[in-house]
Structures are given as C-alpha cells and as structure tokens.
C-alpha cells in the first residue's frame, strides 16, 4: 500500500489534487476533517482547548468557534504552538487508524494523506512519496481574499503562520505547480497517478 503525503500552503490547490486522485481511485484521508472530528463537542481535545484558550472559543451550541480560535492563535506563535500540542497527537492517532482501515479493506490501495501541516508535524513519518502543491505566496494570498473572502491582514496572517515555501519544497518528491489553471493542475495530477501505479 503506497502511503502518499500531499501537502501545500493554504490556498495552494491541494484539495483539487486530492479530489483528482480520489477520482482515480485513491483513498484520501483528510487531515482537516480529522481535526474537525477530534475537536467535536464532548471530545477530550475540545475540553483541553477550552481549558487552554477560554470559553470564548466555544460557540453557544458547544462546538468550537473556529473564527474565535483563529483570531486568538494566528499571529501568535506561542499560542499556535499550544494549540498544535493539543491537536496534533490526536490527529496522528486517528489518521493512523484510518490508514490501517484502508489497508485492511484493500491491501493494494493507494492512500493519500491530505495534510497541510506536514512539515510542522509529520515530516519524518515513513511516506513513500511526498507531493507538494505549490503556488507562490502572492497567488495564495489573492485566492484567500478573492475566493474565500478574507481581509488582507487575515490572509497574510494565515500564510505567515505556516512554514515557508522553501521548507515545504525542500521535502518534496513531486511538486505540482498549481499557479496556472485547474486543468493544468489536473494534468499534472494525472501524471502523478500514472507514476504511482507504475511503482
């Protein structure tokens, strides 16, 4: 079972690549979804977040107020490190459970871990291939403002909170340039799929 790590900065087009690989038959394990799952109401992770950052990050219905938490941690490296220390171990455990389940269901499956914070949290895991979705920071900033409705400052804080493009590119086995059209991104992803199946 090839285990592929797919990473990239915020608004890098990583989700487009993941969707295309899923269309080809890959099992995609989404780290962002796992984060949402482990932070669900009543979870130990959410309780620790509330203890650490206060009740202001909990919405009236008992769920995590992501906007309030983001306003607290982005732009403050110490606060962000505290959050990561709570969330990352739970995400690691749950993602491994999902990898194992995919292998049990199909020993020949190609499993893709869609993980934004690979460099920050899991770069030394035994990946068969590390794929980096790459678009320059200026393009990603524009996408955050124009497509996601962020203001300029919030967009820049999100980009600045992640590792540099250079650090991400340094770990890549494959780089998919997402700065062009979606069609071009898909073409590169199709070529990646052929490469993975030739292994």
């Amino acid at each position: 079972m090839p285990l592929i790590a797919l990473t990239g900065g915020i608004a890098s087009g990583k989700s487009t690549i993941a969707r295309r690989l899923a269309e080809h038959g890959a099992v995609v394990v989404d780290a962002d979804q796992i984060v949402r799952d482990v932070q669900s109401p009543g979870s130990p992770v959410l309780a620790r977040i509330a203890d650490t950052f206060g009740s202001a990050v909990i919405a009236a219905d008992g769920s995590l107020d992501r906007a309030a938490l983001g306003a607290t941690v982005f732009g403050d490296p110490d606060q962000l490190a505290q959050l990561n220390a709570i969330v990352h171990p739970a995400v690691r455990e749950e993602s491994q459970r999902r990898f194992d389940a995919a292998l049990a269901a199909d020993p020949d499956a190609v499993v893709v871990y869609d993980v934004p914070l690979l460099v920050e949290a899991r770069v030394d895991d035994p990946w068969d291939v590390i794929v980096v979705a790459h678009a320059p920071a200026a393009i990603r900033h524009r996408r955050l403002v124009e497509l996601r409705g962020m203001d300029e400052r919030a967009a820049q804080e999100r980009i600045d909170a992640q590792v540099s493009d250079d650090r991400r590119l340094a770990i890549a086995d494959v780089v998919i340039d997402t700065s062009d059209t979606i069609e071009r991104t898909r073409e590169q992803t199709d070529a990646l799929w052929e490469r993975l199946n030739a292994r």
Side-chain angles (χ1 to χ4, degrees), residues 164-199:
S164 68
D165 289 343
D166 288 344
R167 284 187 61 194
R168 210 177 285 111
L169 291 169
I171 65 165
D173 298 308
V174 175
V175 176
I176 294 183
D177 178 359
T178 61
S179 59
D180 203 338
T181 63
I182 288 179
E183 290 72 21
R184 181 68 189 118
T185 296
R186 288 178 181 146
E187 288 171 6
Q188 294 172 80
T189 306
D190 293 345
L192 169 64
W193 182 254
E194 291 179 13
R195 171 179 169 175
L196 294 175
N197 280 282
R199 287 173 64 88

Side-chain angles (χ1 to χ4, degrees), residues 9-21:
I10 189 168
S12 65
K14 188 168 49 59
S15 296
T16 298
I17 296 168
R19 279 193 300 272
R20 188 64 167 182
L21 291 171

Side-chain angles (χ1 to χ4, degrees), residues 17-172:
I17 296 168
R19 279 193 300 272
R20 188 64 167 182
L21 291 171
E23 288 170 7
H24 283 299
V27 176
V28 176
V29 176
D30 183 346
D32 284 341
Q33 183 59 53
I34 293 175
V35 169
R36 288 189 287 274
D37 292 346
V38 302
Q39 294 175 346
S40 61
S43 68
V45 169
L46 187 59
R48 287 189 61 200
I49 290 172
D51 287 345
T52 303
F53 299 102
S55 60
V57 301
I58 305 300
D61 65 358
S63 66
L64 179 65
D65 184 334
R66 296 181 192 288
L69 182 62
T72 300
V73 302
F74 290 110
D76 186 330
D78 292 336
Q79 297 266 51
L80 184 59
Q82 280 187 292
L83 177 63
N84 288 342
I86 295 168
V87 176
H88 286 175
V91 171
R92 176 184 292 271
E93 182 178 338
E94 177 59 19
S95 63
Q96 188 60 54
R97 188 192 68 73
R98 296 186 191 193
F99 300 158
D100 293 344
L103 174 60
D106 179 4
D108 296 321
V110 174
V111 177
V112 176
Y113 189 38
D114 179 350
V115 53
L117 302 182
L118 181 71
V119 174
E120 295 90 329
R122 301 194 62 173
V123 72
D124 294 324
D125 284 16
W127 310 110
D128 293 299
V129 179
I130 295 176
V131 179
V132 172
H134 176 67
I139 290 176
R140 294 186 287 116
H141 184 275
R142 188 174 73 241
R143 289 173 180 168
L144 289 172
V145 172
E146 294 177 1
L147 302 178
R148 299 194 194 180
M150 284 189 185
D151 66 46
E152 299 272 348
R153 179 178 176 183
Q156 194 60 51
E157 285 179 351
R158 294 297 175 96
I159 290 169
D160 291 345
Q162 296 184 333
V163 299
S164 68
D165 289 343
D166 288 344
R167 284 187 61 194
R168 210 177 285 111
L169 291 169
I171 65 165

